[in-house]
Amino acid sequence: MLGKVRLSRKAFRRTYQGLVLASVLALAPMTWAWLGSYGHRTTVDDTVEDTVEDTAGDQGWQARVPAAQAALVLGAGLYDGVHPSPMLARRLDIAADLHRTGKVRALLLSGDNSRADYDEPTAMRDYLRAKGVPDAVMVLDYAGFDTWDSCVRARRVFGAEQVTVVTQEFHIPRAVTLCRAAGLEAFGVGDDSARRYAATTYAGAARELFATGKAFADAVILRSDPVFPGPREVSLTRILAEPPAGQVGAPGA
């Protein structure tokens, strides 16, 4: 009987140690994403307090965002195959604001167009066009099938060097860290979607545990190529080569 008790305790101890190790391994990618994006992300605040000038002279969340070549807007689904989902629409509104305030020169719209009846980038462009964003500053990436592909293609295919990644707050650590791993100087702006879409936000945040594990494997272990690695696009390079023009909503624009 004593031998059985000792065996059970030993088995319990090994099981416990295994669970601890599994937990550490599961959380390691999340830690990697948070540390990799630390100091390179901010959240859009829609509170009254954040829209008025404070003692430091800031003018809201835009003051916390450094200037960059382009806003990299990541796809987030369509309704009826045509209209951006509410979360995607929010990303696009933020990107339009970044352009209007002169924080970015171009908008790189990266989404899924893996089949003829589903075209995220075109829907994103049409939404922004209706908001007054000129076609001349928008670049469409039809092969942004996931965050890693969007980041790698922004660097390799479109030649971007500096981007402001626009997504939801829960996604920002992974998105920024992946873009930095892809060779981009990246900063992230996240929408605090929990205020409007709590259930969807919590589901997305829970998914991040698994998505960040895949991201770590793609960026660190495998150094995976995107599904479509090329050919090289020059549309973004041409926009950046032009003299800065009036921004959306600016006087005289």
Side-chain angles (χ1 to χ4, degrees), residues 2-181:
L2 183 59
K4 291 183 178 180
V5 172
R6 287 176 177 172
L7 181 61
S8 297
R9 287 178 176 174
K10 185 176 182 180
F12 175 79
R13 183 167 62 250
R14 288 182 175 176
T15 300
Y16 174 76
Q17 290 171 341
L19 290 173
V20 170
L21 178 60
S23 299
V24 171
L25 292 176
L27 292 175
M30 295 292 290
T31 303
W32 164 76
W34 275 90
L35 292 178
S37 62
Y38 182 76
H40 303 284
R41 60 179 188 260
T42 193
T43 302
V44 174
D45 301 314
D46 293 325
T47 60
V48 174
E49 291 81 0
D50 197 65
T51 60
V52 297
E53 187 173 356
D54 61 20
T55 56
D58 288 345
Q59 292 287 345
W61 62 268
Q62 296 94 336
R64 302 193 297 269
V65 181
Q69 294 173 329
L72 174 59
V73 189
L74 304 173
L78 301 176
Y79 282 178
D80 302 323
V82 176
H83 306 291
S85 67
M87 282 192 171
L88 179 53
R90 183 63 181 138
R91 297 181 188 187
L92 295 167
D93 289 341
I94 293 169
D97 200 29
L98 289 171
H99 181 258
R100 178 183 61 80
T101 55
K103 289 292 183 174
V104 297
R105 296 273 309 280
L107 305 181
L108 178 54
L109 313 177
S110 183
D112 185 352
N113 181 213
S114 57
R115 61 182 194 271
D117 62 342
Y118 189 83
D119 186 349
E120 280 187 326
T122 297
M124 294 160 77
R125 180 203 62 196
D126 292 346
Y127 180 92
L128 288 169
R129 181 188 284 165
K131 294 283 183 177
V133 179
D135 285 7
V137 303
M138 293 190 282
V139 177
L140 278 59
D141 177 9
Y142 296 96
F145 300 132
D146 62 17
T147 306
W148 176 241
D149 279 21
S150 294
C151 293
V152 174
R153 284 177 55 83
R155 182 72 185 96
R156 294 186 193 173
V157 176
F158 293 93
E161 297 177 355
Q162 301 171 320
V163 298
T164 297
V165 189
V166 183
T167 181
Q168 267 68 45
E169 183 180 26
F170 64 81
H171 183 210
I172 279 294
R174 176 164 63 95
V176 170
T177 300
L178 282 176
C179 280
R180 291 173 66 82

